[in-house]
Amino acid sequence: MRTREDAVRLAQWLESADRGVPVVLISPSRYGAESFLDVDRLEAEASASAEIYLLASVAAVWALRRTYPPARHLYAGSARVVPVGGFVAEVTRLHVAGDGIDRVQVARELLDDVRRCSPLAVS
């Protein structure tokens, strides 16, 4: 997700009744489009039961925050899971990774959130 338009389409998808899987939203770090999170691990372990979106620009993050209010706290390399049926605060914690050690722990926590939000098993 690089553009404002991409983010607006994503917001519409997040609110769609047709969406049948949780979505992992990952914002870029404040140092560029890359994330502090272990995105490769998330994709390997959760892609069968969740969709994973890396917002690769600040413009995309701001557009998503404006068009999808539950994403308002998504910032600076943070991530959260949006369950099927919408945002549920107690299930979808905001996760922030700051260094190499955090990225492993945060990936585990996100995978746990995906497991809680998904009718499909995550390995």
Side-chain angles (χ1 to χ4, degrees):
M1 304 261 108
R2 292 196 176 281
T3 68
R4 290 182 180 101
E5 294 78 16
D6 290 340
V8 169
R9 281 192 297 277
L10 176 58
Q12 292 167 344
W13 175 241
L14 291 171
E15 294 176 339
S16 170
D18 296 332
R19 183 169 60 87
V21 295
V23 172
V24 180
L25 299 175
I26 304 169
S27 68
S29 77
R30 58 183 76 142
Y31 305 110
E34 294 196 19
S35 173
F36 288 126
L37 300 173
D38 190 347
V39 177
D40 292 335
R41 178 178 181 192
L42 287 170
E43 288 177 344
E45 295 188 33
S47 64
S49 57
E51 293 184 13
I52 300 167
Y53 290 94
L54 176 60
L55 298 153
S57 73
V58 172
V61 171
W62 279 104
L64 183 64
R65 289 171 67 172
R66 279 193 300 273
T67 56
Y68 186 68
R72 69 186 171 279
H73 298 296
L74 201 61
Y75 64 93
S78 63
R80 80 169 350 127
V81 176
V82 180
V84 175
F87 178 74
V88 180
E90 59 274 3
V91 176
T92 59
R93 302 167 290 176
L94 183 68
H95 301 277
V96 181
D99 59 33
I101 296 168
D102 285 349
R103 66 186 279 145
V104 173
Q105 179 62 32
V106 170
R108 281 189 205 124
E109 292 171 358
L110 281 165
L111 289 167
D112 287 344
D113 285 356
V114 168
R115 285 183 193 99
R116 280 194 295 276
C117 296
S118 178
L120 303 174
V122 178
S123 60

